[in-house]
Amino acid sequence: MTEVRCLFDGHMMLAESPVWCPISNCLWWVNLVEPAGVFRLAWSQSAPDFWEAPEPVTGLALTADDNVLVAGRSGLLRLNPRIGRYDMLIALRGLDRPGNRCNEVGVDPKGRFWFSTMDDNLVHPEILPDAGALFCMEPDGSIRRAEQSFGIPNTLLWSNANDRMFFGDTLRSTIYAYPFDAETGSLGERSIHRGPGDPGFPDGSAIDVNDTLWNARWDGGVLLGIDRRGDVVDTVAIPGGNVASACFAGEQFDILVVTTACWGLDDQRRAAPLAGGIFAIEGLGKGRAQLHYAGAIGSWNLKSE
C-alpha cells in the first residue's frame, strides 16, 4: 500500500536535486532561491541544517572527500559543510553560451559529474528552446560538452545495467534514452523514452531496481512510474504544489523522497498547507544508492569567475 507523508513542511520555493547519503543517513537537497542554499536533514532531526549560498543553486552531488559539489547560477561551487564556506570551482563563463545558468545534475556509474545548462529564466521568463547543453566532468576536473540544444534539461539517470542514460527536456515534455558506454562516458543516438501527453511536464526523476523511472511532473501534481518500455505503470498524487524531483532513501532504499516547489503557484495554492514540502513515499519498491562524484574537490585550485 502506498503511503505519502510530509518529511519537512518547509514551504520551499523550489526544492531540487535530493540526494540520500547512506553513510550518514542524511537527505541532502537544494533550494533554488528564497533562500538559495543547501539543506541536510537527518532522519533523527525535525529540522534540516542549512548553508545559505551566494547565488541561486540548482543541484548537488556528494564527493569523494566529503565536500559538496553544487551547481550554481554562474558555475560549479564547492561547499565545505564543516565550515559553511562556498568557493567557485568552475565558472560557466567561457565554457557555455552567455546568459545560461546550470540546471540538472547527476553522477554516472564511474563517478563522473554531469551537469546541464539552460537559458537563465531568473533574468527573463522566456526560455530559448535550444540554448541548453549537457556537460560531463571527469574526476580530474576536465570537462567536455556531451550534448546540446535543450530548453529546460531535467532528469539525469542511468539504468541498472549502466547501458542507458535517461535525460529529459521539460520544455519539449519529452524524456530521452541514450545508449551509454560506462567505460568512456560516451552517448549513442537518442530515442524518445516518453513523449508529450501525460499530466504536467517531466522534471526530475528517480530510478528503481526494475528500471522504472519515477518522474516528477511539474504542473501536474503527480509522480509517474514509467517502465523500461516507456509505458506509465503507476501514478501517485503529491500534495505539495509543483512536483520537482525524487530520490530513493532509507537504509533499504525503499523510501521515495519527493521534493516540491511553491514556484509557479498562484497565491491561493502557494498558501496551502504542505505547498513546497518534502515528502516520503513507501510501497513503491526499492532503488539503489546514488553515487558520489569521484573527484576530490577539496584540493582543487579555485577558478576565477
Side-chain angles (χ1 to χ4, degrees):
M1 180 178 178
T2 301
E3 176 188 350
V4 181
R5 58 186 173 89
C6 185
L7 279 179
F8 177 58
D9 183 11
H11 261 71
M12 312 294 289
M13 182 56 68
L14 208 173
E16 274 280 13
S17 191
V19 173
W20 171 254
C21 178
I23 300 171
S24 61
N25 289 329
C26 289
L27 176 72
W28 297 76
W29 72 90
V30 302
N31 191 41
L32 179 71
V33 289
E34 299 180 25
V38 172
F39 289 79
R40 180 183 66 190
L41 179 67
W43 264 186
S44 59
Q45 290 178 289
S46 59
D49 302 312
F50 173 64
W51 294 270
E52 187 170 2
E55 64 181 47
V57 291
T58 64
L60 67 83
L62 305 180
T63 70
D65 59 358
D66 296 327
N67 287 284
V68 184
L69 184 56
V70 182
R73 183 180 194 173
S74 62
L76 303 182
L77 309 173
R78 177 181 65 202
L79 167 63
N80 181 335
R82 295 173 294 281
I83 61 175
R85 174 174 168 174
Y86 288 88
D87 294 300
M88 175 62 68
L89 286 180
I90 305 290
L92 284 184
R93 184 182 300 171
L95 180 68
D96 195 27
R97 170 189 169 274
N100 273 9
R101 66 167 175 84
C102 292
N103 203 49
E104 190 83 325
V105 306
V107 178
D108 78 11
K110 291 297 183 179
R112 305 177 189 93
F113 180 74
W114 294 70
F115 65 99
S116 64
T117 62
M118 61 175 283
D119 195 22
D120 191 353
N121 61 332
L122 300 176
V123 175
H124 49 80
E126 279 197 36
I127 298 171
L128 297 175
D130 296 307
L134 176 64
F135 295 88
C136 175
M137 184 165 72
E138 299 286 345
D140 64 3
S142 58
I143 297 176
R144 59 182 168 83
R145 184 187 296 257
E147 183 65 296
Q148 56 189 11
S149 299
F150 296 101
I152 306 176
N154 271 306
T155 290
L156 190 48
L157 293 169
W158 287 265
S159 65
N160 288 278
N162 301 325
D163 59 350
R164 287 205 296 173
M165 187 188 83
F166 300 99
F167 187 58
D169 190 335
T170 305
L171 202 61
R172 291 179 171 86
S173 199
T174 299
I175 299 173
Y176 301 101
Y178 291 82
F180 182 73
D181 186 322
E183 291 302 317
T184 64
S186 59
L187 303 177
E189 185 175 351
R190 75 186 186 192
S191 58
I192 294 177
H193 186 63
R194 186 75 188 178
D198 297 316
F201 303 89
D203 206 314
S205 300
I207 192 166
D208 69 18
V209 295
N210 296 313
D211 279 346
T212 297
L213 281 182
W214 293 96
N215 179 232
R217 304 299 294 192
W218 186 268
D219 201 32
V222 298
L223 195 72
L224 291 186
I226 302 171
D227 70 11
R228 65 184 71 196
R229 297 182 304 273
D231 298 327
V232 174
V233 293
D234 204 348
T235 302
V236 181
I238 306 296
N242 276 327
V243 190
S245 195
C247 78
F248 280 95
E251 292 184 3
Q252 304 299 318
F253 300 100
D254 57 354
I255 300 171
L256 189 60
V257 172
V258 179
T259 63
T260 68
C262 290
W263 184 289
L265 302 181
D266 59 30
D267 291 342
Q268 182 177 359
R269 291 179 66 200
R270 183 177 295 191
L274 305 183
I278 309 296
F279 298 88
I281 307 174
E282 300 183 57
L284 294 180
K286 293 184 179 183
R288 59 178 182 171
Q290 293 163 284
L291 298 177
H292 287 37
Y293 173 55
I297 64 175
S299 61
W300 285 14
N301 293 325
L302 301 182
K303 306 293 173 65
S304 64
E305 295 187 40

